[in-house]
Amino acid sequence: MITMENKTNILMQRYEFGRLLGQGNFAKVYYGRSLATGQSVAIKVIDKEKILKVGLINQTKREISVMGLVKHPNVLQLYEVMATKTKIYFVLEYAKGGELFNKVAKGRLKEDIARKYFQQLITAVDFCHSRGVYHRDLKPENLLLDENGNLKVSDFGLSALAESKRQDGLLHTTCGTPAYVAPEVISRKGYDGAKADIWSCGVILFVLLAGYLPFHDSNLMEMYRKIGKAEYKCPNWFPPEVRKLLSRILDPNPYTRISVAKIMDNPWFRKGMDCTHLRTSVEDKEKVTLNADTLFDPKQSCSGPSTDTKLKVTKPCNFNAFDIISLSTGFDLSGLFVRNDQKEEVQFISKNSAPSIITKIEDIAKCLRLKVMKKEGGVLKLEGLNECRNGTLSIDIEIFEITSSFHLVEVRKSSGDPLDYLKMLKQNLKPALTEIVWAWQGEQQH
Ligand code: AMP
């Protein structure tokens, strides 16, 4: 049973819960409906305690960041992320057609149908790779279908951003499902995420056309051996063009394995496809790569592959993003996807003590000719002396203790003109606070 707000099936007064759609290792997925628009969604519910216990915080944070990065017709879209003290809710595009796997389980697909899914898979993978995102767990179970039978790549739980590459440019976590993973992933030598995904796409193509796996053995070591040598046999109904393409994809050597670009040039692949806007443009790539930096904020991490390359500052390891999530007003993580200079509520982490934060705020208020009032529950209220457009400007500042040496400070407008407030925040408050700010929430570290 999941905990619902107000003992009804309503989540945050926004979504109505429905039946259970499926279950993963750490999550349950429910059908949902937006109360405002009636739109169908899927709500993935993750128990925070479970991921904290098994140390999957970084992976989940990566999942949030990655899904925000990749918007493509064949990639399952993440609409928003919400959290309560105990659970995280991913509100996702609803894939009415369920798992592609269910279709294959009933038997092999016709060549044209298999090709259509393969085309959609490759365009989605190309798109993700162009954004530095590697799925790393591509398999039919992670391929869903919408109501029109279009493919939606889901489950970025194991995906990694390009930033988690080590100095040698290779990924270093062994993950994925054995039957679909590339030989170099199994050999744990470090691998190129793009080439590993291409291998998995080859296995998927084989499964769609054959109705069974290319590498299979009841003995796991024997199966690994077969994968390592790309030892598979095509059934007699595979056309020669497919056999040739598969031999280029299921190449055990990642350096000679075919690239996505070359797959897209393949005549069998291109059949029946509008290829004019197939590949992702460079301008597009650059735009989103910039976003990736702001979305994936290494300041909030303690450990894990994502911090390998960027994190130079010493971090307190008893402090994580979920502490902050739990403390945030409304527990709404959509701020991760909103430009910071337009937000009415900003947060920063300070390493100063609470009294010194209060003293600093009082000093700033004096300079800005704002009156300081203390409210109940540790909230400071700063109020303008004059009435402006839309009434007197009033700002609430709340200080939360995360650990004895870390405080989260939340600054928000409680009344007055939004434009006046944003101007004051940007031009006066934020620069004046710099001295006591260790890190602004959701902003890149310089
Ligand atoms: P996951 O934890 O993402 O692997 O999801 C577990 C299962 O829930 C999947 O295998 C699907 O059967 C189902 N599921 C996940 N996401 C969706 C979705 N957006 N729409 C419909 N079913 C879904």
Side-chain angles (χ1 to χ4, degrees):
M1 272 292 283
I2 50 164
T3 323
M4 316 278 180
E5 273 199 354
N6 308 327
K7 294 196 179 82
T8 66
N9 289 359
I10 306 293
L11 170 67
M12 311 246 175
Q13 288 141 27
R14 310 263 287 278
Y15 298 96
E16 187 181 31
F17 271 101
R19 69 195 164 88
L20 183 70
L21 293 172
Q23 200 159 347
N25 285 341
F26 295 97
K28 283 186 174 173
V29 184
Y30 293 84
Y31 172 79
R33 213 168 52 87
S34 157
L35 293 177
T37 63
Q39 186 189 18
S40 291
V41 294
I43 305 174
K44 188 167 176 174
V45 187
I46 299 181
D47 226 316
K48 268 192 206 173
E49 209 174 297
K50 269 194 199 162
I51 40 176
L52 282 170
K53 252 188 213 150
V54 290
L56 282 176
I57 301 155
N58 280 315
Q59 185 170 308
T60 309
K61 276 194 287 170
R62 230 168 20 226
E63 188 165 9
I64 297 171
S65 330
V66 166
M67 292 188 85
L69 276 181
V70 283
K71 285 206 180 98
H72 183 272
N74 297 114
V75 176
L76 200 77
Q77 204 188 321
L78 173 70
Y79 295 133
E80 62 180 317
V81 188
M82 292 182 268
T84 61
K85 282 215 163 58
T86 55
K87 292 194 165 54
I88 301 172
Y89 301 90
F90 289 79
V91 182
L92 299 155
E93 183 178 354
Y94 173 52
K96 197 178 178 186
E99 292 176 26
L100 174 62
F101 186 75
N102 292 334
K103 281 201 188 296
V104 187
K106 287 182 200 141
R108 66 181 156 107
L109 306 182
K110 290 203 176 87
E111 188 181 332
D112 282 347
I113 310 279
R115 180 180 14 236
K116 184 190 93 175
Y117 291 138
F118 185 64
Q119 286 168 340
Q120 294 183 344
L121 170 64
I122 292 292
T123 44
V125 165
D126 176 51
F127 177 85
C128 292
H129 289 180
S130 74
R131 274 136 183 82
V133 175
Y134 308 103
H135 192 291
R136 304 199 297 170
D137 195 28
L138 288 165
K139 55 187 173 180
E141 295 94 310
N142 284 337
L143 306 178
L144 302 176
L145 300 172
D146 69 7
E147 72 265 38
N148 302 314
N150 285 316
L151 190 78
K152 302 278 173 179
V153 182
S154 86
D155 209 346
F156 282 86
L158 292 169
S159 67
L161 288 172
E163 272 91 333
S164 67
K165 281 179 181 173
R166 285 201 199 147
Q167 232 88 94
D168 58 6
L170 301 171
L171 291 160
H172 284 265
T173 325
T174 308
C175 57
T177 311
Y180 293 86
V181 294
E184 68 274 16
V185 179
I186 294 169
S187 70
R188 294 167 175 264
K189 283 192 198 120
Y191 58 93
D192 175 341
K195 287 295 177 89
D197 277 352
I198 292 172
W199 174 281
S200 307
C201 291
V203 179
I204 290 166
L205 176 61
F206 187 105
V207 172
L208 295 179
L209 286 164
Y212 58 85
L213 286 162
F215 309 106
H216 185 71
D217 204 285
S218 50
N219 180 327
L220 199 63
M221 288 319 290
E222 184 54 19
M223 185 160 111
Y224 285 160
R225 194 195 59 77
K226 286 180 180 169
I227 294 172
K229 296 215 150 125
E231 215 176 275
Y232 67 96
K233 207 168 159 284
C234 291
N236 57 13
W237 60 84
F238 274 24
E241 312 94 279
V242 170
R243 288 166 193 256
K244 200 162 163 224
L245 177 60
L246 273 174
S247 73
R248 292 288 299 108
I249 300 177
L250 299 177
D251 175 352
N253 181 351
Y255 297 102
T256 50
R257 189 175 304 150
I258 192 168
S259 63
V260 171
K262 283 266 157 53
I263 295 177
M264 287 176 150
D265 274 346
N266 181 280
W268 181 86
F269 175 88
R270 291 172 81 96
K271 200 170 166 194
M273 192 177 191
D274 173 17
C275 302
T276 31
H277 303 293
L278 215 52
R279 301 229 61 210
T280 316
S281 73
V282 177
E283 305 84 65
D284 215 8
K285 272 181 211 176
E286 280 164 2
K287 240 187 276 158
V288 186
T289 315
L290 283 174
N291 269 347
D293 281 343
T294 16
L295 280 173
F296 191 58
D297 183 3
K299 289 193 298 283
Q300 296 174 6
S301 303
C302 292
S303 58
S306 53
T307 62
D308 278 359
T309 48
K310 285 184 128 185
L311 212 60
K312 299 271 190 303
V313 193
T314 319
K315 297 282 168 272
C317 276
N318 52 351
F319 154 64
N320 63 55
F322 291 120
D323 295 325
I324 296 167
I325 290 163
S326 322
L327 291 165
S328 310
T329 317
F331 308 120
D332 185 351
L333 301 193
S334 56
L336 278 169
F337 310 106
V338 175
R339 264 182 45 206
N340 237 61
D341 59 355
Q342 292 171 341
K343 280 199 319 192
E344 284 204 357
E345 179 190 291
V346 291
Q347 294 154 335
F348 64 88
I349 309 288
S350 178
K351 285 171 95 171
N352 290 49
S353 66
S356 81
I357 295 172
I358 294 170
T359 309
K360 181 72 192 168
I361 291 168
E362 285 171 342
D363 287 350
I364 295 171
K366 214 187 269 171
C367 291
L368 296 176
R369 296 171 55 80
L370 297 170
K371 198 163 58 181
V372 184
M373 288 175 296
K374 288 199 176 100
K375 286 202 327 185
E376 282 166 23
V379 182
L380 283 176
K381 197 173 212 26
L382 311 187
E383 226 171 58
L385 298 175
N386 309 316
E387 179 109 353
C388 307
R389 279 177 291 167
N390 295 329
T392 309
L393 181 64
S394 165
I395 300 166
D396 282 355
I397 302 183
E398 200 162 356
I399 304 166
F400 301 90
E401 185 181 276
I402 297 168
T403 67
S404 55
S405 47
F406 280 84
H407 289 88
L408 173 83
V409 184
E410 200 167 272
V411 181
R412 57 180 181 265
K413 177 178 82 70
S414 75
S415 68
D417 188 75
L419 280 181
D420 288 347
Y421 164 73
L422 283 174
K423 203 167 135 199
M424 175 176 286
L425 183 67
K426 201 172 160 201
Q427 294 179 357
N428 307 105
L429 262 179
K430 283 180 96 175
L433 284 165
T434 310
E435 240 176 71
I436 58 161
V437 173
W438 179 64
W440 284 101
Q441 276 289 92
E443 280 180 10
Q444 205 178 340
Q445 193 165 293
H446 296 289

